[in-house]
Amino acid sequence: MIREVITYPNKLLRTKSEDVTEFNDELHTLLDDMYETMIAENGVGLAAIQIAIPLNVLIINLPNEEEIQDKDDLIEAINPVITHKDGTQVYVEGCLSVPGFNEEVKRAQHIVVEYFNRDGEKQTMEAEDFLAVAWQHEMEHLSGHLFIENLSFMKRKKFEKDWKKKLKQKS
Ligand code: CO
């Protein structure tokens, strides 16, 4: 089922998510719904809190070399923890909770992450470049933060001004 993606400045996005304790049907439905929602919204990643579920669950599905978003490449991560970070990279990010806004963010170039899959099996993944960006972006959601919090003071100020204008036009 496609769920509603909540957007900035919805305060729920500031919730620190909690660990999943049971790897049951409810979790599987959540993961399936997150995938359907992400695809419907043309996203490449989604954290559970973006559909108002404060659990440490995220999905990532980047396009392959042929620019195809293959479900075989889908990463489903439960209770993820980044255990190693190094290097830096700057990448233009966007977010389904901040629709229509893209800006450069500086992040680690290479990470190692530990997490559980939907069956509760422990996984370790090494990621670099765009995949490392996606992991760090989604992990930030789980801690109650958004990528716009990484902007410089001036860029953030401009964003807030433009965003307010945009929200006003919508209402
Ligand atoms: Co996001």
Side-chain angles (χ1 to χ4, degrees), residues 60 62 75 81-86 89 108-115 123-133 135-136:
I60 295 170
L62 302 188
I75 298 165
V81 178
I82 293 177
T83 57
H84 176 90
K85 277 187 185 188
D86 66 73
Q89 60 177 322
Q109 203 278 327
H110 170 244
I111 63 160
V112 178
V113 63
E114 288 180 5
Y115 61 98
Q123 314 286 314
T124 304
M125 182 179 288
E126 233 185 302
E128 50 187 9
D129 305 328
F130 185 28
L131 183 57
V133 169
W135 269 108
Q136 291 170 87

Side-chain angles (χ1 to χ4, degrees), residues 45-47 50 94-98 137-138 141 145-147:
L46 193 74
Q50 293 181 274
C95 180
L96 294 180
S97 293
V98 193
H137 177 114
E138 299 310 330
H141 279 297
H145 297 286
L146 293 172
F147 82 111

